[in-house]
Amino acid sequence: MNLTGRDIPGVSKFCIVLLLILPGQSMAQLKPAALFSDHMVLQRDLAVPVWGTAAANEQVVVIFNNREYLTKADDKGSWKISLNPAPAGGPFEMNVKGEKETIRFTDILIGDIWVCSGQSNMEWTVGNSDNVQIELKNGAHPEIRHFKVPLSSAPLPEPELAGGEWQVASPETVGNFTAVGYFFARKIIRDVKIPIGLINSSWGGSRIEPWIRAQDLGYEDPAAMAAELEARKQAEQTAFVENLKKKLPVIPNRDLGKDNEKYLWASPDLDEEGWSTMDLPVLWEKAGWDGIDGIFWFRKSLDLGKEFVGTAATLSLGTIDDSDQTWVNGRLVGETAQSYNKERKYDIPQVLLREGRNTVVIRVEDTGGGGGIYGDPELLFLETDAKKIALSGGWKYKVGMVQMNGLMQNDNQQPTLLYNKMIHPLLPFPIKGVLWYQGESNAGNDQEALAYEDLFKTLITSWRTLWNQGDFPFLYVQLANFMEPQPQPSESSWAILRESQSKALALPSTAQAVIIDIGEAGDIHPRNKQDVGKRLALAAEKIAYGMEVVYSGPVYKTMQLREGSIELSFDHTGGGLVTSGNELLQGFSIAAEDGNFIWADAHISGNKVLVSAKSITNPVAVRYAWADNPERANLYNREGLPATPFQTGNIND
């Protein structure tokens, strides 16, 4: 029983105590599904189911918007009612009454629900995005609500989420919202003036296959598939543990460097015999500890001269994945929790450094994915006003703890496991549409990138069928520019995957946000999520809300062979074709029948582009922005939206 903040009419406090302490006495708790909580948003203009559990055959009444809805739990305790369609508005209250208790939800809005799904660039928070302090300060948007689905998986479809709650956008909460979803919602409420609920069901590093129902991936017997995956997981885990024991005869399940609240391995006088050496910065997975989550300790001794005595200093450690605690000469000088992309800089008090031997100790905890002190070697240093000492290179290290979940196969890589627990429980809940940002994990090679076309179309059609709301808007983000630009035209699995994404536009009520101009060569997570959300919102304003807006950059339509050149026509030219900054048009490559692409000369002629190369007299194909990082690409429409990457024909056949 949950007695906090809820009325339980007809039961005295004395009776409650008896129910709690008498052995053998139990009462099934009235429990609405996790999606129902204070601050929730319900989909406007559609019948909205409310469901949950109670005692077997218990009568349940839901009171909402001045109406009562009566139902009865079945023999297993499941119940469900359906609220009448209602226009946008609020706030409202909802009372869910069982025979012995009442649950009250307040501050409910009716508006539009958007499911935000994909991998880390969708999971990426406002707190890790550009201009974070300004965004947090201006984060009061009470008509934006956010529900984060916990990272969870299941071998077969399950009816209930692992947890979660609705939060109202405010300076205190918005830092944890999906950045793409939040910036999308902010523009929608400004332009459409409708409350927005964001259901954030995303998992960093996930492939697309885990988000698709087993049957739609071709598995006729989901239970047999689940058993096969579990057997494979157990076999791989056994092999992994056996290999790990060659390095660690005893695998620690608690931090050996810590005794209660005493950090033993932070002592400056610790005997480092038996400690190994690792060259930093590097993720420890790349230093021979692949697949390991847990706690590593790093130590480095510094021999400092007299000039450091009585001097304040700055200790820079670069980026650490995920959390760290850092000591200098046994004193804790800084700690940062769960911020794998945040640079660490800690102030060292002037009384702390001394002549001779000084020790820097870093305790690093990683809960998933890569772990350790990584990034730019130039960011590892100790600095005073007068001197700077580089700290990159060899550090002593020792494994403090290994988390067994790190030894298990990643569920976000396995077919259907995320659908079963993070999407299937959402299906009764009506939505306006889906925002999708994923693909990086499927762009590892050309074959996977080509296969993404069918997988992506399958996911879209599957979700639409399962939600049973017709062709609801499905809006997605194309892969950003990433990795080092190549000096010459070359093949690219990222370009192939972008093309696979573009082919989903053949499905009705779809649109993509092209962001090849706002990525970062050295970071797969662009921090400019504001423009990503804005471009998705433009697509929604057209596709979902019927507004007359230019929502897409130029999209290749047809080609025409001219004498020694190729003439390209485009859709979505808006106010006309332009280049960014009125620079020369770039990013086009051209090929003859041999299929060898070279950089092309290109210029805009009205709403067309003419492409040629002096060394090719009979061109047959053109590519645009065909690269991992197409930094040369600069074709836009006058509305400032970039052209979609493309190739004429399919060179990969």
Side-chain angles (χ1 to χ4, degrees), residues 247-313:
K247 300 178 181 179
L248 296 173
V250 177
I251 300 175
N253 59 9
R254 64 173 185 84
D255 186 0
L256 300 179
K258 180 182 177 184
D259 183 11
N260 294 320
E261 297 305 312
K262 187 174 182 180
Y263 294 90
L264 305 175
W265 292 355
S267 170
D269 301 321
L270 183 74
D271 184 355
E272 296 174 355
E273 184 179 356
W275 286 55
S276 302
T277 301
M278 185 183 298
D279 284 336
L280 299 181
V282 67
L283 291 174
W284 62 56
E285 284 82 358
K286 295 182 179 180
W289 298 92
D290 188 36
I292 296 295
D293 298 329
I295 296 171
F296 278 48
W297 287 75
F298 297 90
R299 295 175 58 92
K300 193 174 188 68
S301 296
L302 306 175
D303 191 14
L304 302 180
K306 292 181 180 180
E307 65 272 21
F308 285 92
V309 178
T311 302

Side-chain angles (χ1 to χ4, degrees), residues 26 43 209 257 298 418 448 468 582 599 613:
S26 65
Q43 179 58 44
E209 296 91 337
F298 297 90
L418 305 191
E448 287 187 344
N468 195 29
N582 293 318
W599 290 124

Side-chain angles (χ1 to χ4, degrees), residues 516-517 578-588 604 624-625 630-637 642-643:
I516 57 170
D517 56 338
V578 298
T579 61
S580 58
N582 293 318
E583 299 172 346
L584 292 175
L585 183 58
Q586 298 184 76
F588 287 87
I604 296 169
Y624 172 71
E631 68 166 0
R632 298 164 59 98
N634 64 347
L635 180 63
Y636 290 75
N637 56 26

Side-chain angles (χ1 to χ4, degrees), residues 392-467:
S392 59
W395 285 64
K396 293 292 185 180
Y397 80 94
K398 193 170 185 178
V399 178
M401 182 181 75
V402 172
Q403 293 177 329
M404 295 305 293
N405 62 296
L407 306 180
M408 299 171 67
Q409 195 174 41
N410 290 332
D411 288 352
N412 65 353
Q413 305 294 300
Q414 304 307 315
T416 205
L417 296 186
L418 305 191
Y419 163 80
N420 291 338
K421 191 64 177 176
M422 297 179 70
I423 297 298
H424 183 77
L426 303 176
L427 295 178
F429 208 61
I431 62 174
K432 182 68 174 181
V434 168
L435 307 179
W436 177 260
Y437 193 163
Q438 190 276 338
E440 298 91 340
S441 291
N442 287 81
N445 57 59
D446 292 359
Q447 183 178 358
E448 287 187 344
L450 286 167
Y452 194 87
E453 176 187 349
D454 288 338
L455 288 169
F456 192 29
K457 289 178 179 177
T458 295
L459 179 136
I460 296 171
T461 55
S462 171
W463 284 17
R464 285 173 167 175
T465 298
L466 292 164
W467 249 289

